[in-house]
């Protein structure tokens, strides 16, 4: 007994062990316990469902929701059709992202294409901006009078009315989602192309291999890991995307799993929404498992051999100028043109009339408008800006601090069961789609459970879910930075009698300051552009910029929605610029999208 007591005291003398125990308890409650609540809610009768389930009582056990999904006459429209729509959009977005990103990576890195620096800088922009901004830009340009009420910029310029299939539904959702994630494909594929051993290609050229055969037999197989990673990321993100399908699918009632889930959670059948959320989580976990299985079975993807990786650029010859102009115009269209469309749409007075005489700053500055005040003089907008900044700061401090402590403790106890458990807990939130994660916390904190109060409707709940959701970014940064610091440095300080808090603040953190600071800044910038995570949980007192935009768009206040979009993009881009300036990090290099 004395030996066990001595071992326990000795175990608790080490700060990393105490931190791991505390994190294991807190994260188990915030990450694992919610699954129990949401599973329970799929088998419970909710107050708004009493009329749907005759003879039932609130809280009573029921199989109604799962029967509705898998064994009812309308299961096709309730679940199967949205699932097919989600799969269609996700697979289509993968093809677009890999096609555009891969081609641009090859042209920018392996050829003598002109204006590479400006194009690569601009090409990253769609990924830095919130994913749904391109959906709004598409709507600005291609909406038609049949559904949108007024024609978009394209029709105003050309006189050609866009068909519904082009303006709304799966086609624009696929294109917009694919373009948003094309920069990620460029980053992954481009990194391999840049570091590829040139001897492989040179040997093939010496053997008189044609450029086409070299591309398909050597280059493409070597970038397979990047292509697979991009496919998994885009597919998973496409399946869990809410903003883009909501903006481009709702006008023609094209529902995917996330929009169907939101529709049910905000309607009279929340149990069905929780069931769809659980299915989304399972799909996401399966996708990640398949990714690990595929990459785990192939070990022959070596691209860096230790020899010179210098390579001669492929000369485009007579096509150089044409290809360069085409790519520059394309990059300009997906980065600058959307911003111009937001500015134009926020200035027009009468929708559909794009003449200069119909433009003014009334929706920005007027305080006596019939519907609502201009965004720059609207107290609600300023409250939303304040709430967004405060929320982003709180989430960044929470996620960054926990991530730093977790990284330190995990590395110092690397290989132990407790360390592995906490390490997995910090990463699980990344695997859960934002909308599903929001549904979990809505279920968990809708009412009090023992000492845990009902937090729904409070700002604290937004801080908690944001901190937990962005913890993977900070924890990966913390783990990676601490792995690079030799334990001998801390051991020398221990011998000198330096207390733990001084070792952290005076030695370890300053050594890896840039990497650790990025663990704070990446959650800040990501939180500023988030919609999916907070759209189910906000209230009038905790309104955010993204939810104000969502409200304006839902009500058809297009001028206000476009003005808010510009403000959000400005804040996100400025935040990312600060990240780059201070740490060299970027959202494009972070975890997630």
């Amino acid at each position: 007994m004395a030996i066990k007591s001595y071992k326990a005291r000795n175990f608790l003398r080490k700060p990393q062990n105490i931190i791991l125990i505390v994190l294991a308890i807190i994260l188990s409650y915030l990450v694992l316990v919610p699954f129990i609540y949401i599973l329970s809610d799929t088998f419970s009768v909710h107050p708004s469902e009493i009329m749907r389930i005759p003879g039932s009582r609130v809280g009573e056990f029921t199989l109604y929701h799962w029967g509705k999904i898998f064994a009812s006459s309308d299961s096709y429209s309730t679940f199967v059709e949205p699932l097919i729509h989600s799969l269609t959009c996700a697979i289509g977005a993968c093809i677009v992202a890999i096609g555009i990103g891969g081609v641009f990576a090859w042209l920018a890195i392996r050829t003598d294409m002109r204006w590479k620096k400006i194009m690569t800088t601009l090409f990253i922009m769609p990924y830095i901006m919130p994913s749904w901004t391109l959906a709004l830009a598409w709507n600005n340009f291609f909406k038609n009078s049949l559904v949108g009420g007024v024609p978009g910029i394209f029709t105003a310029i050309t006189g050609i009315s866009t068909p519904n299939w082009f303006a709304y539904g799966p086609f624009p959702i696929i294109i917009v989602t694919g373009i948003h994630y094309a920069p990620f494909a460029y980053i992954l594929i481009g990194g391999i192309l840049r570091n590829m051993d040139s001897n492989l290609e040179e040997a093939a050229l010496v053997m008189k291999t044609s450029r086409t055969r070299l591309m398909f037999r050597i280059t493409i197989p070597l970038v397979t890991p990047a292509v697979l990673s991009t496919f998994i990321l885009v597919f998973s993100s496409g399946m869990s995307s809410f903003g883009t399908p909501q903006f481009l699918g709702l006008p023609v009632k094209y529902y995917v799993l996330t929009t169907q889930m939101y529709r049910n959670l905000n309607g009279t059948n929340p149990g069905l929404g929780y069931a769809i959320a659980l299915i989304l989580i399972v799909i996401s976990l399966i996708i990640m498992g398949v990714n690990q299985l595929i990459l785990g079975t192939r070990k022959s993807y070596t691209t860096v051999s230790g020899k010179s990786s210098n390579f001669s650029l492929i000369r485009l010859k007579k096509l150089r100028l044409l290809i360069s102009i085409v790519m520059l115009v394309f990059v300009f269209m997906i980065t600058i043109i959307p911003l111009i469309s937001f500015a134009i749409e926020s200035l027009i007075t009468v929708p559909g009339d794009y003449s200069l005489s119909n433009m003014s700053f009334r929706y920005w500055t007027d305080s006596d408008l019939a519907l609502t005040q201009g965004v720059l003089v609207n107290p609600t907008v300023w409250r939303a800006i304040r709430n967004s900044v405060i929320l982003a700061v709180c989430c960044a401090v929470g996620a960054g601090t926990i991530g730093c402590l977790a990284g330190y403790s995990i590395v110092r106890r690397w290989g132990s069961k407790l360390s592995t458990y906490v390490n997995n807990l910090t990463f699980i939130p990344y695997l859960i789609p934002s909308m599903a994660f929001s549904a979990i916390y809505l279920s968990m904190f809708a009412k009090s459970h023992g000492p845990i109060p009902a937090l729904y409707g409070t700002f604290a709940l937004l801080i908690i879910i944001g901190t937990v959701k962005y913890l993977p970014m900070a924890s990966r940064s913390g783990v990676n930075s601490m792995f690079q610091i030799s334990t001998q440095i801390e051991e020398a300080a221990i011998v000198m009698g330096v207390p733990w808090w001084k070792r952290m603040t005076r030695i370890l953190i300053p050594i890896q300051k840039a990497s650790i600071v990025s663990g704070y800044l990446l959650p800040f910038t990501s939180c500023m552009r988030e919609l999916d995570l907070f759209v189910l949980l906000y209230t009038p007192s905790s309104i955010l910029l993204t939810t104000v935009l969502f409200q304006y768009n839902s009500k058809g206040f297009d001028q206000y929605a476009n003005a808010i979009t510009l403000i959000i993009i400005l804040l996100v881009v400025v935040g990312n610029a600060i990240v780059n300036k201070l740490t060299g990090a970027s959202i494009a290099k972070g975890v997630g999208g």
Side-chain angles (χ1 to χ4, degrees):
M1 192 70 179
I3 296 176
K4 290 183 177 179
S5 177
Y6 171 78
K7 287 183 177 180
R9 288 197 304 270
N10 188 53
F11 181 83
L12 294 175
R13 283 197 186 102
K14 298 178 180 179
Q16 58 265 34
N17 294 332
I18 297 176
I19 294 172
L20 285 175
I21 292 173
V22 172
L23 288 179
I25 295 171
I26 294 175
L27 292 179
S28 292
Y29 182 78
L30 293 176
V31 176
L32 295 183
V33 172
F35 285 99
I36 300 174
Y37 284 102
I38 195 170
L39 181 62
S40 172
D41 277 327
T42 65
F43 291 105
S44 300
V45 178
H46 299 264
S48 60
E49 298 170 340
I50 294 295
M51 299 300 293
R52 289 177 173 269
I53 312 175
S56 63
R57 297 189 302 272
V58 175
E60 187 178 53
F61 177 85
T62 180
L63 294 173
Y64 170 79
H65 308 117
W66 293 106
K68 185 81 171 174
I69 289 177
F70 295 114
S72 68
S73 58
D74 57 351
S75 61
Y76 181 82
S77 60
T78 300
F79 173 70
V80 176
E81 187 176 52
L83 174 62
I84 294 173
H85 290 171
S86 291
L87 291 171
T88 301
C89 292
I91 294 173
C94 290
I95 296 171
V96 172
I98 294 172
I100 294 175
V103 169
F104 184 81
W106 184 77
L107 288 172
I109 295 169
R110 307 293 287 186
T111 73
D112 62 346
M113 181 177 67
R114 293 181 178 179
W115 313 308
K116 292 181 182 180
K117 186 174 182 180
I118 181 65
M119 279 197 278
T120 52
T121 301
L122 289 176
F123 193 74
I124 299 297
M125 283 292 293
Y127 187 65
I128 293 176
M129 295 188 299
S131 60
W132 40 263
T133 53
L134 285 176
L136 285 179
W138 185 281
N139 188 58
N140 288 341
F141 272 97
F142 301 116
K143 62 186 176 183
N144 58 41
S145 55
L146 296 175
V147 176
V150 293
I153 297 174
F154 176 80
T155 302
I157 294 175
T158 64
I160 302 172
S161 179
T162 54
N164 275 357
W165 69 265
F166 188 88
Y168 314 101
F171 178 76
I173 293 173
I174 289 171
I175 298 297
V176 165
T177 306
I179 289 175
H180 175 68
Y181 285 101
F184 199 87
Y186 160 72
I187 292 169
L188 291 179
I189 296 173
I192 290 183
L193 290 175
R194 190 176 290 108
N195 296 319
M196 187 182 298
D197 185 1
S198 61
N199 292 320
L200 297 171
E201 295 178 310
E202 291 171 0
L205 292 174
V206 168
M207 299 297 292
K208 306 297 182 182
T209 303
S210 67
R211 286 286 184 182
T212 303
R213 186 176 177 83
L214 185 149
M215 172 72 71
F216 285 96
R217 299 301 295 272
I218 297 178
T219 306
I220 290 179
L222 286 176
V223 300
T224 298
V227 172
L228 289 175
S229 296
T230 304
F231 184 91
I232 294 298
L233 172 88
V234 179
F235 185 84
S236 178
S237 300
M239 287 291 295
S240 60
S241 175
F242 169 74
T244 299
Q246 177 75 5
F247 293 141
L248 295 176
L250 191 62
V252 290
K253 294 182 171 53
Y254 185 86
Y255 293 104
V256 296
L257 286 179
T258 50
T259 54
Q260 183 78 326
M261 177 175 66
Y262 177 80
R263 181 186 177 196
N264 283 286
L265 287 172
N266 271 3
T268 58
N269 203 347
L272 185 59
Y274 290 125
I276 294 175
L278 201 59
I279 291 172
L280 270 173
I281 293 170
V282 171
I283 291 174
S284 182
L285 294 175
I286 291 173
I287 291 170
M288 293 300 170
V290 170
N291 180 46
Q292 293 299 319
L293 182 64
I294 293 175
L295 293 182
T297 57
R298 283 289 304 271
K299 303 298 182 182
S300 56
Y301 289 116
T302 303
T303 62
V304 180
S305 64
K307 301 179 182 179
S308 173
S309 60
N310 293 327
F311 49 82
S312 58
L313 296 177
I314 297 173
R315 297 188 177 278
L316 299 175
K317 300 178 181 178
K318 293 180 180 180
L319 294 176
R320 184 189 184 197
L321 181 60
L322 176 61
I323 291 176
S324 300
I325 292 175
V326 169
M327 291 307 300
L328 183 63
V329 170
F330 174 76
V331 172
F332 188 81
M333 287 176 61
I334 65 174
T335 55
I336 305 302
I337 295 298
L339 300 181
I340 295 174
S341 79
F342 300 140
I344 292 175
E345 289 286 344
S346 70
L347 297 177
I348 60 173
T349 303
V350 179
D353 181 1
Y354 295 95
S355 62
L356 290 177
S357 60
N358 188 46
M359 295 186 183
S360 72
F361 286 94
R362 62 180 306 190
Y363 295 103
W364 287 86
T365 59
D366 280 12
S367 58
D368 58 349
L369 296 176
L371 295 175
T372 184
Q373 295 170 303
V375 295
L376 295 182
V377 295
N378 190 328
T380 301
V381 173
W382 283 105
R383 187 168 72 251
I385 293 175
R386 182 198 64 193
N387 287 346
S388 295
V389 173
I390 292 174
L391 178 62
V393 169
C394 291
C395 291
V397 171
T401 303
I402 296 173
C404 179
L405 294 175
Y408 168 81
S409 305
I410 289 169
V411 171
R412 289 296 179 264
R413 292 279 298 167
W414 187 257
S416 68
K417 292 182 179 179
L418 184 59
S419 173
T420 302
Y421 178 68
V422 173
N423 189 35
N424 290 334
L425 283 179
T426 61
F427 191 68
I428 286 176
Y430 176 64
L431 304 179
I432 304 175
S434 294
M435 180 68 74
F437 203 59
S438 181
I440 290 176
Y441 272 57
L442 177 63
S443 168
M444 183 176 177
F445 292 102
K447 54 186 178 181
S448 60
H449 299 279
I452 307 300
L455 295 177
Y456 175 69
T458 66
F459 200 73
L461 181 56
L462 301 186
I463 295 174
I464 291 172
I465 192 173
T467 299
V468 176
K469 181 62 180 176
Y470 302 129
L471 182 58
M473 299 179 183
S475 66
R476 294 312 100 182
S477 175
V479 168
N480 292 337
S481 61
M482 291 301 169
F483 260 131
Q484 295 175 343
I485 301 176
S486 172
T487 56
Q488 295 176 354
I489 297 175
E490 189 177 11
E491 289 169 357
I494 293 174
V495 171
M496 297 295 294
V498 179
W500 175 78
W501 69 271
K502 278 192 175 181
R503 299 199 301 269
M504 287 293 294
T505 58
R506 301 288 181 86
I507 300 174
L508 301 182
I509 291 178
I511 290 176
Q512 288 286 23
K513 180 176 64 175
S515 179
I516 291 174
V517 168
S518 70
Y520 287 84
L521 290 174
L522 287 172
F524 176 85
T525 0
S526 298
C527 187
M528 285 297 299
R529 64 178 187 162
E530 183 66 63
L531 171 65
D532 299 11
L533 189 64
F534 303 124
V535 73
L536 290 174
L537 302 176
Y538 81 95
T539 60
S541 63
S542 59
I543 197 165
L544 307 172
L545 268 178
T546 49
T547 56
V548 168
L549 165 73
F550 184 72
Q551 287 182 346
Y552 282 153
N553 184 266
S554 300
K555 295 176 181 177
F557 297 172
D558 292 341
Q559 294 94 333
Y560 299 106
N562 281 278
I564 294 293
T565 301
L566 275 179
I567 294 174
I568 294 173
I569 292 174
L570 176 64
L571 292 173
V572 170
V573 171
V574 168
N576 194 64
I578 293 174
V579 172
N580 279 315
K581 186 70 174 178
L582 295 180
T583 70
S586 166
I587 293 179
K589 300 175 185 176
V591 180

